[in-house]
Amino acid sequence: GGLWAGAASFDGCSTPGPRYCDSDTDLSTGMDYSYQLVDALLLYAKGMDRHLRSGGNSSDPDGLHSAILDLPKFDGVSGEMKLGADGDALTNLPLINLQYANKLVRLPGSRAI
């Protein structure tokens, strides 16, 4: 719903050529990467808002970068969003198993699902 639904179309899914936008054949769901794209846009918008409200200007990339890194965690479309000091997303990414030389290696603290 919302603004996107009023302007979006599935033309990219139905025009000639490879179907690049739908991996689960359900046209009502988003592309695999679309949720992360939306979260990246939210990070930028929230960072720019914080930067401008604190007296910064839009032509100061270092100030914007700092404002983005200082954002408090928030609920994004793909889950909770929080960046580390290096700018990488901090997330709970469960590793279920890891195989090395055809042997299953369970990482400390991991659990089978």
Side-chain angles (χ1 to χ4, degrees):
L3 297 174
W4 176 252
S9 75
F10 288 109
D11 289 344
C13 296
S14 59
T15 56
R19 292 175 61 123
Y20 64 88
C21 65
D22 188 27
S23 62
D24 63 1
T25 68
D26 181 355
L27 296 180
S28 67
T29 60
M31 300 171 277
D32 291 343
Y33 53 85
S34 62
Y35 305 111
Q36 289 81 17
L37 289 174
V38 172
D39 285 343
L41 180 62
L42 287 172
L43 279 168
Y44 172 80
K46 287 175 175 284
M48 182 62 82
D49 181 66
R50 175 175 280 228
H51 178 58
L52 294 175
R53 289 179 187 268
S54 68
N57 66 66
S58 60
S59 61
D60 175 14
D62 293 330
L64 173 59
H65 184 250
S66 293
I68 290 172
L69 291 180
D70 290 338
L71 286 172
K73 66 182 174 182
F74 66 92
D75 288 330
V77 192
S78 65
E80 185 177 273
M81 294 298 303
K82 176 66 179 155
L83 298 181
D86 60 0
D88 286 343
L90 300 177
T91 182
N92 289 326
L93 179 64
L95 293 177
I96 296 172
N97 69 44
L98 186 65
Q99 294 187 24
Y100 176 76
N102 294 322
K103 293 182 181 178
L104 177 65
V105 177
R106 193 158 310 277
L107 301 175
S110 65
R111 58 185 173 84
I113 296 180

